[in-house]
Amino acid sequence: MSALALDRQIRPIYDALDTGSNKSAIVACNKLLKKHPKNDLIKSLKALALIRSQKVEEALVICDEVLESKPTHDGVLTAMMHVLRGLGRHNDMVTMFEEAYKKQPANEDLGAQTFFANVRASHWKSAHQIATRMYKQFQEERYLYWSVISAVLQAKDTSTPPAMRPILYKLAHRLITSSSTLSYSTADRFHLHLSLLRELQLYDEAEKLLTSDVGKNICATSLSCNEVRRDIWLQQGLTQQEGERAERLIVENRDRNWLEFLAVLDATFVPTSSISEANQNGSGSEDRIKHSEELFSRIAADDGLKDRSGSLALLELEKRARTHGLSKDPSRMLMIMQQYFEKFGDKACCFEDLKPYLELEADDLKQWISFLEGVPTSFTTVSELRRLINSYKIIRHGLPKSEITVEKELARVEKYTKYYFAGLSLGAGLPSTELQPVDDLVLLAGNTFVNLWTLTNDDSHLLSAVYVLEFALTKSKQCFLARLILIRIYRLLCAPALALDHYRAMQIKQVQHDTLSHLILSRASTFSLASTGDLTLATECLESTQIYLSNSQETGDFVVRAFTAEKYSQIPEFIVFEDRLDNSLQRDTVKMEHLRMRLTHEPISSDIIDMELIELKFIFDRTHHDNRDFAILPNYQPRVSQSLHEQTLFLGKPEGQGWLSTYLKVYIRAFQQASDLDDTVEEKLLIGDRPKQTADFDKKLSLKERLLQCDPESMTTLTQDEARLVEYASALADWLEPYHNYARPPPSVVLAEAAKQTELKTGHPLKGFEVSPSNGTNGHHKKDEEPPVIQGPPETVLKYFDTLRTRFEEVQSKSSLTEILHVATLAQEAFLLLVIESLRFKTPSVVKINKLGALVTSFKELYTPALSVLKVISNDLVKRGELEGSTESRKTCIESCTSELAPQVGHDFIFTHAKKVADSRRKVLEGVGKGIARLSTVYT
């Protein structure tokens, strides 16, 4: 058959893959393979279709066959690239392209693809070598710069020894200076050159580039190059020259970039050594402050209401003058702040602008508050309303502790809501896509209600906040800040379904899942109904992790595109972005929460344990980046009290690095003991590359030793009930460890069983392992040594569930519904950890051959009280759920609304939302209770 005819027959396979018809693609590949059994292109397309159909075992066999043939055909390489990326085998992809490039060294496109394969795998050393070879062979300038940036990225890689980094920077500098084309041919090449000179502190050479006409033009038009230039000047100590340059831009070019104003301010307050030199030249600190003051005053006068830069610079100048002890007029800061408020008090940003300068002395503070209280409370325009709102925000921010009482906070919230309803008429004609001018007043009211709840621990204040914020959303559908407060409040009220509704209404997308998913998924297993089959929160966990999958698949492509387009200033940013997402704290916290939910839904089996164990070990070896955004919450609480985030933090403890590390240790230990996998077996069975170990730990310590380490600081991030669970899990693991180690089959037996299962599934043996006759032991292995002496469970384990019963009775009588659920779900979790730890000893043959009958008998001492306590908790939760959903409970929720608020919002509106809160509470309490009952039955 001719190549053209074969191409026509292969075309439908590509079409099927493009449209997602993977089954059709597999059928078409099978037909063609009967005629062309050795065609690598058809094989690679079939492997791709199998990967997309989640048939990994079959795809692996075909993938290995194609790789063994060392392909060079462009179509085969492209298809295999997608296959290997799907399998996470980036190192094999690099090897494949390198082998192909060796066979066709004159193929420039193949060389570029080999370079890009190394870039995707972050193999910067190899990428540098390939780019250097390509430059020598094809004499194209961009390959030289590829080589330079690869050397720079290798120097920045955390795995590169510190002593090697200066050498790599010098190598990159030698390469860039050897180029026949000057670096300022493009802005990005110039940026790369400047960055190298900054790293090597070659300031004289940098000065030559920057003072050239081309260099000046590039810095004037490229913000990234200008940023590097500014850094170089500051590192040289040219703060005063930078200030003079910035002043010229501000005055002559009317540049209002705030960085230029900061440069002038920095030059005004140069370090002490520079000041002494300046004094010798007759230019003292006072003269420089006076000069800057005149400059900023002139700018503020010229700009008027068009720009705030000059006025803000005057505030910053006075603040720095006070910090350095150079301010002569004690009342000047107050005067400037009053002038700023009079000028820009009707801007929405006024409060945020003035916030850094609000720490005033007692007398100044009194005058400042008196000035703000003089703002008229009557308004007929949006400008007047905003001025009033800003005055309320500033006054609230500066409240002393003596002013934060229940009575005064009630008076304030009444005032905020009064003017909120009065101001609604100003936005009556706005389209639904616009925010209401009075929205900030309702946010102030929400903050105040939360503060009242903090002071009194009375849920009626949270319910009042719910009613007013929900009403505000009917008038201002796009007020997402109100939704943020509602999400936090609903979780405190034990109404997670309503919190989730608002979270979804915000339409979180892309990287926002990493920064904002903590709002709904922090300790989400407390509200999970996965044990009853409701996978709403578990699904939300999976949806929030899609950004991490797309990051691993797409960011590498963005880096490749940046190389192709020679956007060298963007490449390090893409790599940092990829690293921050790959090692995101929120990603792995959500993974832990999903695992806790999964164990309540799916039957606990060796397959789940093995799979989760491998993933948790990878997580444990990461250095995490905390990308979560807490500052987005609209915080209008007084400066002397806790922030809104701290007040509404679920259970009062953050899910941070310490929390994650502690829970990882608990589950890795439990899964390790229940699993037959050790490092040898894991290495053989692992599909894909092993992730880099980025965690900073003592390399001499084994994983087992690291798991046993206890960090007191991490324990402070746990609630007292979580700390008790960790203590219980640790004691349980310590007790059962010798029996697990004794009963665990040797690696050869485990691999033999894995090979057998692989052959049954795919018809092909496990690659790299041959089953020998000695391996046929039916999963059991007779021990030469005697089993360890059977000891009873330790006191901590034995009495844990009895203590838990007392604790549950305590929280039922005193605590909030969230704490009741917290204790109940931790009891469920403790029981599941017991199930995991005892799973190995459920098989009678294992118990018999290892002579562990007495150990199994001792499990009854643990299961009996555990099941008894779980039954009590289950019944009590179901009863409490019925109570919370009753008419009386609903009536209580309605009556909690303040008398001033009820007429404005309306009885029907309050009734509707009170019913929603009550129904949500009932659903979660009954669901958790019934789920605990189901698990008690499943694992009896």
Side-chain angles (χ1 to χ4, degrees), residues 115 119 123-132 143-157 160 164-176 192 196 199 563 571:
F115 173 80
V119 165
H123 293 175
W124 303 116
K125 182 178 179 180
S126 299
H128 164 70
Q129 292 170 346
I130 291 166
T132 304
Y143 297 146
L144 175 67
Y145 282 88
W146 287 7
S147 174
V148 171
I149 187 69
S150 297
V152 170
L153 293 170
Q154 184 187 349
K156 290 182 177 181
D157 197 297
T160 303
M164 189 68 186
R165 290 169 188 170
I167 298 171
L168 288 166
Y169 283 125
K170 288 175 183 176
L171 171 62
H173 176 251
R174 184 169 60 80
L175 286 169
I176 209 168
L192 179 57
L196 270 173
E199 290 291 345
F563 269 103
I571 291 170

Side-chain angles (χ1 to χ4, degrees), residues 491 513-514 517-525 537 540-542 544-545 548 581-597 612 615-616 619-620 622 624-628 630 653-664 667 717-718 722 829:
R491 279 166 60 86
H513 283 295
D514 186 50
S517 63
H518 67 88
L519 290 166
I520 199 72
L521 297 179
S522 174
R523 288 188 172 90
S525 55
L537 282 174
E540 197 64 40
C541 286
L542 294 176
S544 75
T545 59
Y548 307 115
L581 279 182
D582 273 345
N583 298 297
S584 165
L585 176 64
Q586 181 62 15
R587 170 186 183 165
D588 293 334
T589 302
V590 170
K591 166 63 191 171
M592 180 54 67
E593 288 298 321
H594 182 261
L595 169 61
R596 297 168 79 188
M597 297 180 202
E612 295 290 354
E615 191 165 353
L616 293 185
I619 293 172
F620 193 59
R622 287 180 185 151
H624 288 96
H625 301 293
D626 192 354
N627 307 322
R628 296 173 297 177
F630 299 113
K653 294 283 187 176
E655 267 189 333
Q657 175 63 56
W659 184 92
L660 177 61
S661 174
T662 303
Y663 263 85
L664 282 171
Y667 276 97
T717 64
L718 307 178
E722 287 172 337
E829 190 170 8

